[in-house]
């Protein structure tokens, strides 16, 4: 049984579309007629069809899920599997509960693969843009061990935790970004609309204007004459830098720079350390071998330098070194992580210690973000107030000078 995309007309003459499962397009047309729909177009949408290279199949391979959608999908599937429902029925129920057509089609694609006799991990692997290597490895380990429901439950917790961390970071950055935008807008408006009108009163003055006033007039004239061109140039420069950073060497240099930046370096390192510990913990707890788990966990990190360090750690472990010693020699991970891993190796509870490290790193991340925001917010306010003060002084100083002369 495969998934078919269809377009049909209902009894009111309204055009509708969706996805249905059937053995053939003819059967799907019959099902649509039984539902009172007049089929216009029915086409196979499964990834094993000839459309895999073009059209719907290619679009499905490039399909994506948001973190919230991934968390909901995993939680629903875990609950249904743990309740004893067969996997294909669980996938069908999840597809029916989805309110988004693209996700419904994706889940039915996965179900079609499962019905054909493939494992769930294999079916998920057909969509690498949606499901990460860690996700697939955990599902594969759960299927081999016979604890798929428990593993999916852990995955759901992990995805929801990642979503929570991402939301905290985004929320922490909203206020500074708004402040920067307001400051830029206010200062630009003053320089373009207000300052030119104010400085006209000095046109007929024979006295030499203060240096601050002359500088303000020059900046104002530049923004009036070339402000739009400068903005376009800035946008092009940002696009050029983004394109330049697509090169592996340039991105590696940027990530190395981020790990050496004052104030921010510890935050970037803490984010990846927490992600590494959390991912490694659930992989090991799900039965994935340590060496494979390290390499998979390395792939989920954002920083290329940290990724390369994790690969070096995996190589050292493969050569016979202990995990904690390899982490210590790498020199990029917090001492807390190294010590807890050493304790976990000694006690045989490595996954438990890694989970504790992940929670500790997440708490430290919260404190770092709080400290960073407590510095940035007043700094931005002081900067904005200072710029306005300079503009006011530049306008008032010649007036005071003229009054003194009079």
């Amino acid at each position: 049984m495969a998934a078919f995309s269809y377009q049909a007309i209902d009894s009111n003459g309204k055009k509708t579309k969706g996805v249905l499962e059937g053995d053939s397009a003819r059967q799907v047309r019959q099902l649509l007629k039984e539902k009172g729909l007049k089929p216009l177009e029915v086409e196979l949408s499964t990834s094993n069809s000839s459309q895999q290279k073009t059209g719907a199949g290619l679009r499905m391979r490039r399909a994506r899920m948001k973190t919230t959608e991934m968390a909901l999908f995993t939680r629903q599937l875990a609950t249904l599997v743990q309740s004893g429902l067969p996997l294909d029925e669980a996938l069908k129920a999840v597809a029916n509960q989805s309110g988004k057509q693209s996700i419904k089609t994706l889940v039915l694609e996965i179900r079609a693969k499962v019905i054909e006799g493939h494992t769930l991990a294999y079916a998920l692997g057909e969509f690498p843009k949606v499901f990460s290597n860690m996700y697939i490895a955990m599902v594969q380990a759960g299927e081999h061990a016979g604890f798929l429901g428990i593993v999916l439950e852990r995955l759901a917790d992990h995805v929801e935790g990642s979503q929570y961390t991402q939301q905290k970071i985004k929320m922490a950055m909203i206020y500074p970004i708004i402040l920067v935008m307001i400051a830029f807008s206010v200062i630009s408006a003053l320089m373009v609309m207000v300052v030119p009108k104010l400085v006209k009163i000095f046109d007929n003055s024979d006295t030499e204007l203060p240096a601050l006033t002359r500088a303000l007039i020059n900046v104002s004239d530049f923004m009036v004459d070339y402000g739009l061109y400068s903005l376009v140039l800035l946008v092009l420069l940002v696009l050029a830098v983004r394109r330049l950073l697509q090169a592996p060497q340039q991105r590696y240099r940027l990530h190395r720079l981020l790990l050496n930046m004052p104030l921010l370096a510890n935050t970037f390192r803490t984010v990846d350390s927490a992600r590494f510990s959390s991912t490694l913990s659930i992989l090991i707890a799900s039965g994935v071998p340590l060496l494979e788990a390290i390499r998979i966990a390395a792939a989920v990190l954002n920083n290329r330098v940290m990724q390369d360090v994790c690969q070096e750690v995996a190589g050292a472990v493969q050569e016979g070194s202990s995990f904690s010693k390899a982490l210590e020699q790498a020199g990029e991970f917090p001492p807390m992580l190294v010590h807890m891993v050493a304790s976990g190796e000694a006690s045989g509870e490595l996954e438990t210690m890694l989970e504790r490290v992940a929670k500790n790193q997440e708490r430290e991340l919260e404190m770092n973000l709080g400290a960073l925001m407590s510095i940035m917010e007043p700094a931005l306010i002081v900067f904005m107030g200072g710029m306005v003060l300079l503009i006011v002084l530049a306008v008032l100083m010649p007036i005071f000078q003229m009054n003194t002369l009079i």
Side-chain angles (χ1 to χ4, degrees):
M1 188 174 291
F4 288 83
S5 301
Y6 70 84
Q7 293 185 6
I9 296 177
D10 60 16
S11 57
N12 297 323
K14 187 177 180 180
K15 192 174 181 179
T16 182
K17 59 182 180 178
V19 179
L20 275 180
E21 288 185 308
D23 296 325
S24 64
R26 182 177 181 180
Q27 183 186 15
V28 172
R29 290 180 182 274
Q30 184 61 36
L31 292 173
L32 291 172
K33 291 177 181 178
E34 292 175 359
K35 293 182 178 182
L37 299 174
K38 182 180 179 181
L40 297 176
E41 182 180 344
V42 177
E43 60 180 12
L44 186 64
S45 62
T46 51
S47 57
N48 62 342
S49 69
S50 60
Q51 294 174 356
Q52 175 176 327
K53 297 180 181 178
T54 59
L58 187 59
R59 289 194 299 271
M60 285 307 303
R61 283 184 171 272
R62 290 199 294 257
R64 293 182 182 274
M65 272 192 194
K66 296 179 181 177
T67 307
T68 52
E69 295 168 345
M70 178 66 73
L72 179 60
F73 164 77
T74 309
R75 179 66 67 189
Q76 288 176 331
L77 187 59
T79 302
L80 293 171
V81 170
Q82 284 188 314
S83 67
L85 199 66
L87 182 57
D88 62 322
E89 294 297 327
L91 289 168
K92 184 176 181 180
V94 172
N96 292 334
Q97 292 174 13
S98 175
K100 195 172 181 181
Q101 187 62 42
S102 60
I103 297 178
K104 182 177 181 179
T105 304
L106 174 65
V107 177
L108 290 178
E109 293 278 341
I110 296 170
R111 181 175 182 264
K113 282 290 184 182
V114 172
I115 292 176
E116 290 173 7
H118 297 288
T119 63
L120 178 60
Y122 177 88
L124 298 177
E126 291 292 299
F127 305 96
K129 296 294 184 181
V130 180
F131 303 99
S132 64
N133 291 335
M134 182 209 72
Y135 198 103
I136 296 169
M138 284 189 62
V139 170
Q140 185 176 25
E143 286 182 308
H144 288 169
F147 299 107
L148 180 59
I150 297 175
V151 170
L152 287 172
E153 193 74 26
R154 290 174 181 162
L155 260 176
D157 293 336
H158 173 73
V159 175
E160 290 170 355
S162 300
Q163 176 192 358
Y164 177 67
T165 302
Q166 291 176 8
Q167 286 179 341
K168 285 192 296 186
I169 295 175
K170 290 179 181 178
M171 292 299 295
M173 294 303 297
I174 285 177
Y175 185 61
I177 290 174
I178 292 176
L179 276 180
V180 169
M181 293 176 63
I182 292 175
F184 179 79
S185 302
V186 170
I187 293 172
S188 298
L190 288 174
M191 298 297 290
V192 173
M193 294 185 293
V194 178
V195 172
K197 296 179 180 179
L198 291 175
V199 297
K200 285 183 179 180
I201 62 177
F202 309 127
D203 290 343
N204 298 325
S205 176
D206 296 331
T207 60
E208 184 179 358
L209 297 176
L212 181 61
T213 305
R214 293 198 305 270
L216 178 69
I217 294 173
N218 292 334
V219 173
S220 177
D221 291 341
F222 177 83
M223 293 185 67
V224 171
D225 297 334
Y226 305 105
L228 183 60
Y229 301 107
S230 300
L231 184 60
V232 173
L233 182 62
L234 179 62
V235 172
L236 293 176
L237 181 62
V238 170
L239 294 177
V241 171
R242 288 186 61 181
R243 186 175 182 83
L244 181 64
L245 291 178
Q246 291 178 356
Q249 290 183 342
Q250 301 300 330
R251 181 169 293 185
Y252 185 89
R253 290 176 183 175
L254 173 64
H255 289 177
R256 170 61 69 183
L257 177 64
L258 292 177
L259 291 178
N260 293 322
M261 289 180 63
L263 298 177
L264 296 177
N266 191 36
T267 301
F268 288 120
R269 189 173 278 106
T270 301
V271 169
D272 272 351
S273 296
R275 182 172 297 173
F276 178 75
S277 303
S278 176
T279 304
L280 199 58
S281 172
I282 61 175
L283 284 170
I284 295 174
S286 301
V288 179
L290 176 61
L291 189 59
E292 183 182 354
I294 295 173
R295 287 172 175 160
I296 294 173
V300 305
L301 302 183
N302 290 326
N303 193 286
R304 290 292 181 88
V305 177
M306 297 290 285
Q307 287 182 3
D308 290 349
V309 167
C310 289
Q311 294 297 343
E312 293 174 3
V313 169
V317 171
Q318 188 175 16
E319 293 174 359
S321 174
S322 67
F323 184 29
S324 57
K325 186 177 181 180
L327 288 174
E328 185 177 8
Q329 290 176 346
E332 292 290 346
F333 293 96
M336 171 68 73
L337 174 59
V338 178
H339 297 324
M340 294 293 280
V341 167
S343 300
E345 287 181 315
S347 63
E349 297 180 351
L350 181 58
E351 64 273 13
T352 303
M353 292 300 178
L354 285 169
E355 184 179 359
R356 292 179 182 176
V357 172
K359 292 180 179 179
N360 178 272
Q361 293 295 299
E362 288 172 1
R363 286 195 295 268
E364 184 175 346
L365 176 62
E366 288 186 21
M367 291 187 292
N368 289 342
L369 287 176
L372 188 62
M373 292 304 105
S374 64
I375 295 173
M376 287 183 63
E377 291 171 7
L380 288 171
I381 294 174
V382 170
F383 170 77
M384 183 176 175
M387 293 300 296
V388 174
L389 177 62
L390 286 176
I391 294 174
V392 172
L393 287 176
V395 173
L396 292 180
M397 285 175 65
I399 297 177
F400 293 152
Q401 188 176 13
M402 292 170 62
N403 290 337
T404 302
L405 291 175
I406 293 174

